[in-house]
């Protein structure tokens, strides 16, 4: 859409999409409305052919006619036959998502390589897949961002991890400030949340979740970045154009606790 108007190409796609209605079966497979009626009528009519999602690559982006599940792990796409033997991943694919032979998935290897793969079969201890295509993930931000965020009350820090991952943060570092109330976090749970958020948002990497450090330690780490952004209510507005125009390759972002920064912390920053 441009200026609130639908372009001709978008209009054609929109009109075409309206002509095809899909229903989702409990297994997760998509079928045409006409097929649904035939099955409801006792199987009369032509047997429906097996259909895999239509997949093609345009401008470094995988485009399909349905949403494919994404999985990030230490995959090696050069291995033949290609197998997945990670127990947790196998359980998610087979028992949680109910994927079957013939279903397609997207696999990401943590090194910005991702592949469209078709499940050939599930065995008791592994799944064998056929790699259809491999491409580079081009969705990672040009500027590497490290988020230094004060530990928040209740489960609010989990939401921070989720949204920061979706926004493209490379690293998330929880910090203890003068007004921090909650002192402990479950790092394993935060890592799981970050991994799921990276998979769902189409990222090629999972951000690193650091252990909790002090505000003083965080300031020492800030020297390793080209730019440091310290957010404080009432401070001058931040210019994103200035950051991009300066050729910055890495930056840290500091976010304080619910009660705000202590005056001494502002002066130290």
């Amino acid at each position: 859409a441009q200026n609130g108007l639908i372009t001709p190409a978008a209009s054609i796609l929109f009109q075409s999409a309206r002509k095809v209605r899909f229903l989702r079966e409990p297994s997760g497979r998509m079928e045409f409305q006409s097929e649904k009626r035939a099955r409801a009528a006792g199987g009369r009519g032509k047997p429906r052919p097996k259909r895999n999602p239509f997949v093609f690559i345009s401008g470094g982006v995988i485009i399909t006619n349905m949403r494919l599940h994404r999985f990030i792990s230490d995959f090696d796409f050069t291995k033949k036959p290609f197998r997945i033997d990670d127990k947790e991943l196998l359980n998610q694919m087979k028992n949680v998502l109910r994927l079957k032979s013939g279903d397609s998935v997207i696999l990401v290897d943590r090194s910005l390589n991702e592949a469209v793969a078709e499940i050939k079969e599930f065995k008791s201890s592994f799944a064998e897949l056929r790699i259809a295509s491999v491409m580079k993930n081009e969705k990672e931000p040009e500027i590497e961002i490290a988020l230094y965020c004060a530990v928040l009350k209740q489960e609010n820090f989990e939401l921070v991890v989720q949204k920061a991952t979706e926004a493209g943060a490379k690293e998330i570092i929880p910090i203890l400030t003068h007004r921090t109330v909650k002192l402990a976090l479950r790092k394993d749970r935060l890592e799981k949340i970050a991994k799921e958020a990276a998979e769902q948002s189409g990222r090629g990497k999972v951000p690193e979740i650091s252990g909790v450090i002090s505000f003083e330690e965080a300031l020492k780490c800030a020297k390793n970045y080209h730019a440091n952004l310290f957010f404080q209510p009432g401070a001058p507005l931040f210019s994103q154009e200035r950051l991009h125009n300066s050729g910055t390759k890495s930056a840290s972002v500091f976010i304080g606790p619910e009660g705000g920064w202590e005056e001494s912390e502002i002066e130290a920053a």
Side-chain angles (χ1 to χ4, degrees):
Q2 296 178 350
N3 300 324
L5 300 177
I6 297 179
T7 61
S11 178
I12 294 172
L13 291 173
F14 178 70
Q15 293 297 333
S16 300
R18 291 182 61 186
K19 295 178 182 178
V20 182
R21 295 183 61 195
F22 291 99
L23 295 175
R24 183 177 294 278
E25 290 184 324
S27 63
R29 180 186 177 278
M30 305 297 285
E31 67 173 7
F32 286 102
Q33 175 74 11
S34 58
E35 293 179 342
K36 191 77 173 181
R37 295 196 191 99
R39 186 159 62 86
R44 293 191 299 271
K46 297 181 180 180
R48 64 190 180 199
K50 179 180 179 181
R51 265 195 325 276
N52 286 326
F54 175 65
V55 178
F56 68 96
I57 299 173
S58 175
V61 178
I62 295 177
I63 303 176
T64 74
N65 69 335
M66 64 180 291
R67 183 178 181 276
L68 298 183
H69 293 287
R70 293 170 50 87
F71 304 96
I72 300 178
S73 188
D74 298 317
F75 298 118
D76 182 359
F77 300 135
T78 63
K79 286 187 176 181
K80 294 183 180 180
F82 181 81
R83 293 176 175 177
I84 296 177
D85 55 10
D86 182 270
K87 293 182 179 180
E88 183 177 350
L89 183 52
L90 278 176
N91 179 68
Q92 184 182 4
M93 295 174 67
K94 187 176 181 180
N95 302 320
V96 178
L97 299 175
R98 303 287 184 181
L99 296 177
K100 310 266 184 207
S101 299
D103 288 340
S104 294
V105 296
I106 298 177
L107 307 177
V108 187
D109 70 353
R110 299 181 189 271
S111 299
L112 298 181
N113 299 307
E114 59 181 55
V116 177
E118 179 186 351
I119 300 173
K120 294 180 66 175
E121 61 177 340
F122 282 106
K123 295 292 188 179
S124 58
S125 59
F126 67 88
E128 185 170 333
L129 298 88
R130 180 184 68 85
I131 303 297
S133 62
V134 180
M135 59 171 287
K136 279 289 184 182
N137 183 295
E138 300 177 355
K139 299 179 181 178
E140 289 298 305
E142 295 180 0
I143 301 178
E144 297 180 349
I145 300 294
L147 173 62
Y148 288 82
C149 182
V151 179
L152 304 176
K153 296 178 182 177
Q154 300 176 354
E155 310 304 325
N156 292 331
F157 199 87
E158 296 181 2
L159 182 62
V160 168
V161 169
Q162 178 189 352
K163 297 307 177 184
T165 300
E166 294 172 356
K170 181 185 178 182
E171 187 177 6
I172 301 172
I173 307 97
I175 59 177
L176 296 178
T177 69
H178 182 79
R179 295 175 179 169
T180 300
V181 176
K182 185 175 180 179
L183 303 179
L185 292 171
R186 283 187 54 189
K187 185 180 177 183
D188 59 335
R189 176 165 173 78
L190 296 179
E191 290 174 338
K192 183 177 180 180
I193 291 172
K195 181 175 180 293
E196 292 176 350
E199 291 173 340
Q200 294 175 10
S201 58
R203 291 194 56 179
K205 291 185 177 180
V206 180
E208 180 183 348
I209 308 296
S210 169
V212 180
I213 65 174
S214 67
F215 178 73
E216 291 72 23
E217 290 177 288
L219 289 183
K220 293 179 182 178
C221 296
K223 299 178 182 179
N224 300 323
Y225 305 95
H226 295 150
N228 297 288
L229 309 177
F230 190 89
F231 284 83
Q232 164 70 7
L237 292 178
F238 164 65
S239 173
Q240 185 174 351
E241 290 76 13
R242 181 181 177 185
L243 184 64
H244 282 279
N245 295 337
S246 64
T248 298
K249 297 299 182 182
S250 64
S252 68
V253 176
F254 280 74
I255 304 294
E258 293 92 342
W261 300 105
E262 182 78 7
E263 191 63 33
S264 61
E265 294 170 335
I266 298 175
E267 294 176 359

